[in-house]
Amino acid sequence: MRTAAGEFELREVDLATDLPLLAGWMNDPAVAAYWDLAGPPETTERHVAAQLGPDSHSSPLLGLLDGTPMSYWELYRADADRLAGYYPAGQGDLGLHLLLGPPGHRGRGLGALLLTALADKLLAEPGCDRLVAEPDLRNTASLRAFRRAGFDPVAELDLPEKRAALMLRHQ
């Protein structure tokens, strides 16, 4: 995807090569506060490996900007996720999680820019009717990025690990 910041692409995570990078990001205190995956690399590996299985409804993706890894994404079928128990999920709902890895990529508006580019692309594809996100209410930077990318906060959810803002973006 061409963006104002450069060429953005997503590729499936390859644990054999990407685990050290992802585990490093997960241990950054600014990330760990919201992702709960700090610790040895095996903690991140278990989380990502579960999504790489054949029965998974989620895809772990590495985001690259001009070829440089700089973000981690999870795209998931919201109707097959536990989130479906917290709102009226539709079959065409696609959920997403995002983290900007290197600190130098945060606080520059990249989150909103990349979210907008990806949301536009996903919503143009057949079968995707709505995008869903549930960022932690304490994560004001994430909430701001989703709002700037066209996501509307519609509810607050008490999930087991966090109080979240349910945010939706329609076609």
Side-chain angles (χ1 to χ4, degrees), residues 18-164:
D18 298 331
L19 182 59
L21 179 68
L22 293 176
W25 290 348
M26 294 300 179
N27 279 285
D28 178 324
V31 172
Y34 304 109
W35 279 77
D36 295 326
L37 292 173
E42 294 79 19
T43 302
T44 300
E45 183 177 29
R46 278 190 302 275
H47 176 80
V48 174
Q51 297 175 73
L52 292 169
D55 297 328
S56 177
H57 64 278
S58 182
S59 298
L61 304 165
L62 191 68
L64 297 95
L65 190 59
D66 290 332
T68 301
M70 49 73 63
S71 57
Y72 172 70
W73 301 73
E74 294 174 348
L75 298 180
Y76 62 93
R77 284 191 31 232
D79 66 322
D81 191 77
R82 68 180 177 103
L83 185 61
Y86 293 87
Y87 85 106
Q91 283 188 325
D93 287 1
L94 188 61
L96 57 95
H97 299 133
L98 156 69
L99 78 81
L100 296 179
H105 285 87
R106 299 182 209 140
R108 300 179 13 202
L110 277 177
L113 183 75
L114 300 179
L115 280 166
T116 299
L118 182 59
D120 290 347
K121 181 180 182 344
L122 293 172
L123 288 169
E125 294 179 5
C128 182
D129 301 326
R130 183 168 63 168
L131 296 175
V132 182
E134 80 295 340
D136 191 305
L137 281 174
R138 299 170 299 148
N139 191 341
T140 56
S142 183
L143 293 169
R144 185 172 45 254
F146 276 101
R147 281 191 189 109
R148 289 179 58 206
F151 286 75
D152 295 314
V154 297
E156 291 185 6
L157 306 175
D158 287 313
L159 302 176
E161 72 284 0
K162 65 184 175 184
R163 182 140 175 87

